Amino acid sequence: MLKFKVKQICTALALSTAFIAASPATTMAAEPTAKALEEGKKLAFNRSKGNCLACHAIKGGKLAGNIGPALIAMKARFPGKAGKQELYDIVYGKKARVPKDISMMPPFGEHAILSDEQIQKIVDYIYTL
Amino acid sequence: MKKALLIALSLGVTATAATATYAAVDPEKDRQELVNFFMKKNPNIKFEDYHMGAYNYSADKMAQYESVEEFPPYLDAIDAGEALYEKDKAVYDKCFGSDVSKVRVKYPYYEESKHRVQTLESAINECRTAAGLKPFKWKKGPIAQLSAYYAYNARGQKINVKINSEGARKAYEAGRKMYMTPMGQLNLSCAKCHTYNAGRRARANILSPNLGHTTGFPVFRAKWQALGTLHRRFTGCQKNMRLKPFKAQSPEYRNLEFFEAYISNGLPIDGPAYRE
């Protein structure tokens, strides 16, 4: 299971890594429902929420920017559970591919732009692309 | 090649944060590095064309711009500026001299006696106040019209901001720091959009390079259907960064303008420029 919730709590409380290992990850639905995916898409496209289209081309999105890479073939590029976790970490802001003082990718979780649940939904959605 | 510059550009900021040993920024070296960065990034764009902002990156938009320029929508605003000038000519001539082509190019400058940056707009309002006239509102309307009138009469002259004192250097450095530092909910900095990603699109908007940022101001923006000052634009960008913007003509924005203008030294003034 993805350790999203745990990660966030750890950041907030600055708990030890030993605790992460011992603590069970929160259970999220293994296969997102069609409704949840639709919600993820809405969050990703909404200008005041994810606004991912400002920077990323996404299938079905209009007037997309090209600051970031196109969000395409996500499953193939981020395979398996580890891949999906990595996507979550990128959107959350825990994992930067480029130093943060240079990267345009907003730290959606770290800066509380989106809730953990919203990020989860967006990641589930972009994983279908 | 891009990496090298990014490191150079972020050096001042990182060095201060990490070690507290303070490496003073050399503005002229800084400016040349930025120019070289853009020259290498886009060898086809000539230095003198950097007053054209984002239009340099799109043949389509450049064509639209050129067709707009055939019947410029800002001519009425320049006339309005001229009328304002004529109305209180004696007041302005006393402050700025009677040759209207020699005013715009003096600004912004570092005013040693007051330890701060003086901009054309702040000087206009100080001049009015000293003569017992009501100051204009910042950002748009009469202040932008009068500033546009002075800019129009100075078209083609080169931006020539001078840094001759430690005070001026510090003002530059403060502006530079503001330009470089990620801020706000989205963790964005001016540099992320206008240096590292200049030429790319945020949604449908092409990001202009900061080299040349101040040349066309005050600009006539189609979206505003009117003129707006540089500080009006700063306000808009800071709002997009989900920040509470600073006030027009605040010390922060004056320093930012000083930095942006110095970086654009050698480029032709072409205010009021048309922008989307």
Coordinates of all heavy atoms in Angstrom, one line a residue, chain B residues 132-192:
Chain B
G132 N 2.0 71.6 -5.0 CA 0.7 71.7 -4.4 C -0.4 71.1 -5.2 O -1.6 71.3 -5.0
L133 N 0.0 70.2 -6.2 CA -1.1 69.5 -7.0 C -1.3 68.2 -6.3 O -0.5 67.6 -5.6 CB -0.6 69.3 -8.4 CG -0.3 70.5 -9.3 CD1 0.3 70.1 -10.6 CD2 -1.7 71.2 -9.5
K134 N -2.5 67.6 -6.6 CA -2.8 66.3 -6.0 C -2.0 65.2 -6.7 O -1.9 65.2 -7.9 CB -4.3 66.0 -6.2 CG -5.1 65.9 -4.9 CD -6.6 65.6 -5.2 CE -6.8 64.1 -5.2 NZ -8.2 63.7 -5.5
P135 N -1.4 64.3 -6.0 CA -0.7 63.2 -6.6 C -1.7 62.3 -7.4 O -2.9 62.2 -7.0 CB -0.1 62.4 -5.5 CG -0.9 62.8 -4.3 CD -1.4 64.2 -4.5
F136 N -1.3 61.8 -8.5 CA -2.1 60.8 -9.3 C -2.2 59.5 -8.5 O -1.3 59.2 -7.7 CB -1.5 60.5 -10.6 CG -1.5 61.7 -11.6 CD1 -0.3 62.0 -12.3 CD2 -2.6 62.5 -11.8 CE1 -0.3 63.1 -13.2 CE2 -2.6 63.5 -12.7 CZ -1.4 63.8 -13.4
K137 N -3.2 58.7 -8.8 CA -3.2 57.4 -8.3 C -2.2 56.5 -9.1 O -1.9 56.7 -10.2 CB -4.6 56.7 -8.6 CG -5.7 57.2 -7.7 CD -6.7 56.1 -7.5 CE -7.8 56.4 -6.6 NZ -9.0 56.9 -7.2
W138 N -1.5 55.6 -8.4 CA -0.5 54.8 -9.0 C -1.1 53.8 -10.0 O -2.3 53.6 -10.0 CB 0.3 53.9 -7.9 CG 0.9 54.7 -6.9 CD1 0.7 54.6 -5.5 CD2 2.0 55.7 -7.0 NE1 1.6 55.4 -4.8 CE2 2.3 56.1 -5.7 CE3 2.6 56.3 -8.1 CZ2 3.3 57.1 -5.4 CZ3 3.6 57.3 -7.8 CH2 3.9 57.6 -6.5
K139 N -0.4 53.2 -10.8 CA -0.7 52.0 -11.6 C -1.4 52.2 -12.9 O -1.1 51.6 -13.9 CB -1.5 50.9 -10.8 CG -0.7 50.4 -9.6 CD -1.1 48.9 -9.3 CE -2.4 48.9 -8.5 NZ -2.6 47.5 -8.0
K140 N -2.4 53.1 -13.0 CA -3.1 53.3 -14.3 C -3.7 54.7 -14.3 O -3.6 55.5 -13.4 CB -4.1 52.3 -14.5 CG -5.2 52.2 -13.4 CD -6.2 51.1 -13.6 CE -7.1 50.9 -12.5 NZ -8.0 49.8 -12.6
G141 N -4.3 55.0 -15.5 CA -4.9 56.4 -15.6 C -3.8 57.4 -15.9 O -2.8 57.1 -16.5
P142 N -4.0 58.6 -15.4 CA -3.1 59.8 -15.7 C -1.7 59.5 -15.5 O -0.8 59.9 -16.3 CB -3.6 60.9 -14.7 CG -5.1 60.5 -14.5 CD -5.2 59.0 -14.6
I143 N -1.3 58.8 -14.4 CA 0.1 58.6 -14.1 C 0.8 57.8 -15.3 O 1.9 58.1 -15.7 CB 0.4 57.8 -12.8 CG1 1.9 57.9 -12.4 CG2 0.0 56.4 -12.8 CD1 2.1 58.7 -11.2
A144 N 0.0 56.8 -15.8 CA 0.5 56.0 -16.9 C 0.5 56.8 -18.2 O 1.4 56.6 -19.0 CB -0.3 54.7 -17.0
Q145 N -0.5 57.6 -18.4 CA -0.5 58.5 -19.6 C 0.6 59.4 -19.6 O 1.3 59.6 -20.7 CB -1.9 59.2 -19.6 CG -3.0 58.3 -19.9 CD -4.4 58.9 -19.5 OE1 -4.4 60.0 -18.9 NE2 -5.5 58.2 -19.9
L146 N 0.9 60.1 -18.5 CA 2.0 61.0 -18.5 C 3.4 60.3 -18.7 O 4.2 60.7 -19.5 CB 2.0 61.9 -17.2 CG 3.0 63.0 -17.2 CD1 2.8 64.0 -18.4 CD2 2.8 63.8 -15.9
S147 N 3.5 59.2 -18.0 CA 4.7 58.4 -18.1 C 4.9 57.9 -19.6 O 6.0 57.9 -20.1 CB 4.6 57.3 -17.1 OG 5.6 56.3 -17.4
A148 N 3.8 57.5 -20.2 CA 3.8 57.0 -21.6 C 4.2 58.2 -22.5 O 4.9 58.0 -23.5 CB 2.4 56.5 -22.0
Y149 N 3.8 59.4 -22.2 CA 4.1 60.5 -23.1 C 5.6 60.8 -23.0 O 6.3 60.9 -24.1 CB 3.4 61.8 -22.6 CG 3.8 63.1 -23.3 CD1 3.5 63.2 -24.6 CD2 4.4 64.1 -22.6 CE1 3.8 64.4 -25.3 CE2 4.8 65.2 -23.3 CZ 4.5 65.4 -24.6 OH 4.8 66.5 -25.3
Y150 N 6.2 60.7 -21.8 CA 7.7 60.8 -21.7 C 8.4 59.7 -22.4 O 9.4 59.9 -23.1 CB 8.1 60.9 -20.2 CG 7.9 62.3 -19.6 CD1 7.2 62.5 -18.5 CD2 8.5 63.4 -20.2 CE1 7.0 63.8 -17.9 CE2 8.4 64.7 -19.6 CZ 7.6 64.9 -18.5 OH 7.5 66.1 -17.9
A151 N 7.8 58.5 -22.2 CA 8.5 57.3 -22.8 C 8.4 57.4 -24.4 O 9.4 57.2 -25.1 CB 7.8 56.0 -22.4
Y152 N 7.3 57.8 -24.9 CA 7.1 57.9 -26.3 C 8.1 58.9 -26.9 O 8.7 58.7 -28.0 CB 5.7 58.4 -26.6 CG 5.3 58.3 -28.1 CD1 5.2 57.1 -28.7 CD2 5.0 59.5 -28.8 CE1 4.8 57.0 -30.1 CE2 4.7 59.4 -30.1 CZ 4.6 58.2 -30.8 OH 4.2 58.2 -32.1
N153 N 8.3 60.0 -26.2 CA 9.3 61.0 -26.7 C 10.7 60.5 -26.6 O 11.6 61.2 -27.1 CB 9.1 62.3 -26.0 CG 7.9 63.1 -26.6 OD1 8.0 63.6 -27.7 ND2 6.8 63.1 -25.9
A154 N 11.0 59.4 -25.9 CA 12.3 58.9 -25.7 C 12.6 57.7 -26.5 O 13.6 57.0 -26.3 CB 12.6 58.7 -24.2
R155 N 11.6 57.3 -27.3 CA 11.7 56.0 -28.0 C 13.1 55.9 -28.7 O 13.5 56.9 -29.4 CB 10.6 55.8 -29.0 CG 9.4 55.2 -28.4 CD 8.4 54.8 -29.4 NE 7.2 54.1 -28.8 CZ 6.3 53.5 -29.5 NH1 6.3 53.6 -30.8 NH2 5.3 52.9 -28.9
G156 N 13.6 54.7 -28.7 CA 14.9 54.5 -29.4 C 16.1 54.7 -28.6 O 17.2 54.2 -28.8
Q157 N 16.0 55.6 -27.5 CA 17.1 55.8 -26.6 C 17.4 54.5 -25.8 O 16.4 53.8 -25.5 CB 16.9 57.0 -25.7 CG 16.8 58.3 -26.4 CD 16.4 59.4 -25.5 OE1 16.8 59.5 -24.3 NE2 15.5 60.3 -26.0
K158 N 18.6 54.3 -25.4 CA 18.9 53.1 -24.7 C 18.8 53.2 -23.2 O 19.1 54.2 -22.6 CB 20.4 52.7 -25.0 CG 20.7 52.6 -26.5 CD 20.8 51.2 -27.0 CE 20.6 51.1 -28.5 NZ 21.8 51.4 -29.3
I159 N 18.2 52.1 -22.6 CA 18.2 52.0 -21.2 C 19.6 52.2 -20.6 O 20.5 51.5 -21.1 CB 17.6 50.7 -20.7 CG1 16.2 50.5 -21.3 CG2 17.6 50.6 -19.2 CD1 15.0 50.8 -20.5
N160 N 19.7 53.0 -19.6 CA 21.1 53.3 -19.2 C 21.1 53.6 -17.6 O 21.3 54.7 -17.2 CB 21.6 54.5 -19.9 CG 23.0 54.9 -19.5 OD1 23.8 54.1 -19.0 ND2 23.4 56.1 -19.8
V161 N 20.8 52.5 -16.9 CA 20.8 52.6 -15.4 C 22.2 52.5 -14.9 O 22.9 51.6 -15.3 CB 19.9 51.5 -14.9 CG1 19.9 51.6 -13.3 CG2 18.4 51.7 -15.4
K162 N 22.5 53.4 -13.9 CA 23.8 53.5 -13.4 C 23.9 53.0 -12.0 O 23.0 53.3 -11.2 CB 24.4 54.9 -13.5 CG 24.5 55.4 -14.9 CD 25.2 56.7 -15.0 CE 25.2 57.3 -16.4 NZ 23.9 57.9 -16.7
I163 N 24.9 52.3 -11.7 CA 25.2 51.8 -10.3 C 26.6 52.3 -9.9 O 27.6 51.8 -10.3 CB 25.1 50.3 -10.1 CG1 23.6 49.9 -10.5 CG2 25.5 49.9 -8.7 CD1 23.3 48.4 -10.3
N164 N 26.6 53.4 -9.2 CA 27.9 54.0 -8.8 C 28.2 54.1 -7.4 O 29.1 54.8 -6.9 CB 28.0 55.5 -9.4 CG 28.0 55.5 -10.9 OD1 28.6 54.6 -11.5 ND2 27.4 56.5 -11.5
S165 N 27.4 53.5 -6.6 CA 27.6 53.6 -5.1 C 27.2 52.3 -4.4 O 26.5 51.5 -5.0 CB 26.7 54.7 -4.5 OG 25.4 54.4 -4.6
E166 N 27.6 52.1 -3.2 CA 27.2 50.9 -2.5 C 25.7 50.9 -2.2 O 25.1 49.8 -2.3 CB 28.0 50.9 -1.1 CG 27.9 49.7 -0.3 CD 28.3 48.4 -1.1 OE1 28.9 48.5 -2.1 OE2 28.0 47.3 -0.6
G167 N 25.1 52.1 -2.0 CA 23.7 52.1 -1.8 C 22.9 51.6 -3.1 O 22.0 50.8 -3.0
A168 N 23.4 52.0 -4.2 CA 22.8 51.6 -5.5 C 22.9 50.1 -5.7 O 22.0 49.4 -6.1 CB 23.3 52.4 -6.6
R169 N 24.2 49.6 -5.4 CA 24.4 48.2 -5.5 C 23.5 47.4 -4.6 O 23.0 46.3 -5.0 CB 25.9 47.9 -5.2 CG 26.5 46.7 -5.9 CD 27.8 46.3 -5.4 NE 27.8 46.0 -3.9 CZ 27.2 45.0 -3.3 NH1 26.7 44.0 -4.1 NH2 27.2 44.9 -2.0
K170 N 23.3 47.9 -3.4 CA 22.5 47.1 -2.5 C 21.0 47.1 -2.9 O 20.3 46.1 -2.8 CB 22.6 47.8 -1.1 CG 23.9 47.6 -0.4 CD 23.6 47.0 1.0 CE 24.9 46.4 1.7 NZ 25.7 47.5 2.4
A171 N 20.6 48.2 -3.5 CA 19.2 48.3 -4.1 C 19.1 47.2 -5.2 O 18.1 46.5 -5.3 CB 18.9 49.7 -4.6
Y172 N 20.1 47.2 -6.0 CA 20.1 46.2 -7.1 C 20.0 44.8 -6.5 O 19.2 43.9 -7.0 CB 21.4 46.3 -7.9 CG 21.6 45.2 -9.0 CD1 21.1 45.4 -10.3 CD2 22.2 44.1 -8.7 CE1 21.2 44.4 -11.2 CE2 22.4 43.0 -9.6 CZ 21.9 43.2 -10.9 OH 22.1 42.2 -11.8
E173 N 20.8 44.6 -5.5 CA 20.9 43.2 -4.9 C 19.6 42.9 -4.2 O 19.1 41.7 -4.3 CB 22.0 43.2 -3.9 CG 22.5 41.8 -3.6 CD 23.9 41.9 -2.8 OE1 24.9 42.1 -3.5 OE2 23.8 41.9 -1.6
A174 N 18.9 43.8 -3.6 CA 17.6 43.5 -3.0 C 16.6 43.2 -4.1 O 15.8 42.3 -3.9 CB 17.2 44.8 -2.2
G175 N 16.6 43.9 -5.2 CA 15.7 43.6 -6.3 C 16.0 42.3 -6.9 O 15.0 41.5 -7.2
R176 N 17.2 42.0 -7.0 CA 17.6 40.7 -7.6 C 17.2 39.5 -6.7 O 16.7 38.5 -7.2 CB 19.2 40.7 -7.7 CG 19.8 39.4 -8.2 CD 21.3 39.5 -8.0 NE 22.0 38.6 -8.8 CZ 22.3 37.3 -8.3 NH1 21.9 36.9 -7.2 NH2 23.0 36.5 -9.1
K177 N 17.3 39.7 -5.4 CA 17.0 38.7 -4.4 C 15.5 38.4 -4.5 O 15.0 37.3 -4.5 CB 17.3 39.1 -3.0 CG 17.1 38.0 -2.0 CD 17.8 38.3 -0.7 CE 17.5 37.2 0.3 NZ 17.3 37.7 1.6
M178 N 14.7 39.5 -4.6 CA 13.3 39.3 -4.8 C 12.9 38.6 -6.1 O 12.0 37.8 -6.1 CB 12.6 40.7 -4.8 CG 11.1 40.6 -5.0 SD 10.4 42.0 -4.2 CE 8.7 41.8 -4.9
Y179 N 13.7 38.9 -7.1 CA 13.4 38.2 -8.4 C 13.7 36.7 -8.3 O 13.1 35.9 -9.0 CB 14.3 38.9 -9.5 CG 14.1 38.4 -10.8 CD1 13.0 38.9 -11.6 CD2 14.9 37.4 -11.4 CE1 12.8 38.3 -12.9 CE2 14.6 36.8 -12.6 CZ 13.6 37.3 -13.4 OH 13.3 36.8 -14.6
M180 N 14.8 36.4 -7.6 CA 15.2 35.0 -7.5 C 14.5 34.1 -6.5 O 14.5 32.9 -6.7 CB 16.7 34.9 -7.1 CG 17.7 35.7 -8.0 SD 17.9 35.1 -9.6 CE 18.4 33.4 -9.2
T181 N 14.0 34.7 -5.5 CA 13.5 33.8 -4.4 C 12.1 33.3 -4.6 O 11.1 34.0 -4.8 CB 13.5 34.7 -3.1 OG1 14.7 35.4 -3.0 CG2 13.2 33.8 -1.8
P182 N 12.0 31.9 -4.4 CA 10.6 31.3 -4.5 C 9.8 31.8 -3.4 O 10.2 31.9 -2.3 CB 10.9 29.8 -4.4 CG 12.4 29.7 -4.8 CD 13.0 30.9 -4.3
M183 N 8.5 32.1 -3.7 CA 7.6 32.7 -2.7 C 6.2 32.1 -2.9 O 5.9 31.7 -4.0 CB 7.6 34.2 -2.8 CG 8.8 34.9 -2.3 SD 8.5 36.7 -2.4 CE 9.4 37.0 -3.9
G184 N 5.4 32.2 -1.9 CA 4.0 32.0 -2.0 C 3.7 30.5 -2.0 O 4.5 29.6 -2.0
Q185 N 2.4 30.3 -2.1 CA 1.8 28.9 -2.0 C 2.4 28.1 -3.1 O 2.7 26.9 -2.9 CB 0.3 29.0 -2.1 CG -0.3 27.8 -1.5 CD -1.8 27.8 -1.7 OE1 -2.3 28.3 -2.7 NE2 -2.5 27.1 -0.9
L186 N 2.6 28.6 -4.3 CA 3.0 27.8 -5.4 C 4.6 27.7 -5.5 O 5.1 27.0 -6.4 CB 2.5 28.4 -6.8 CG 1.0 28.4 -6.9 CD1 0.6 29.2 -8.2 CD2 0.4 27.0 -6.9
N187 N 5.2 28.3 -4.5 CA 6.7 28.2 -4.5 C 7.4 28.7 -5.8 O 8.4 28.2 -6.3 CB 7.1 26.8 -4.2 CG 8.5 26.7 -3.6 OD1 8.9 27.6 -2.8 ND2 9.3 25.8 -4.0
L188 N 6.8 29.7 -6.4 CA 7.3 30.3 -7.6 C 8.2 31.5 -7.4 O 8.0 32.2 -6.4 CB 6.2 30.6 -8.6 CG 5.4 29.5 -9.1 CD1 4.2 30.0 -9.9 CD2 6.2 28.6 -10.0
S189 N 9.1 31.7 -8.3 CA 9.9 33.0 -8.3 C 9.7 33.6 -9.7 O 9.3 32.9 -10.6 CB 11.4 32.7 -8.0 OG 11.9 31.9 -9.1
C190 N 10.0 34.9 -9.7 CA 10.0 35.6 -11.0 C 10.9 34.8 -12.0 O 10.6 34.6 -13.2 CB 10.5 37.0 -10.9 SG 9.8 37.9 -9.5
A191 N 12.1 34.4 -11.5 CA 13.1 33.8 -12.3 C 12.6 32.5 -12.9 O 13.0 32.2 -14.0 CB 14.4 33.5 -11.5
K192 N 11.8 31.7 -12.2 CA 11.4 30.5 -12.7 C 10.6 30.7 -14.0 O 10.7 29.9 -14.9 CB 10.5 29.7 -11.7 CG 11.3 29.2 -10.5 CD 10.4 28.4 -9.6 CE 11.1 27.9 -8.3 NZ 10.3 27.0 -7.5

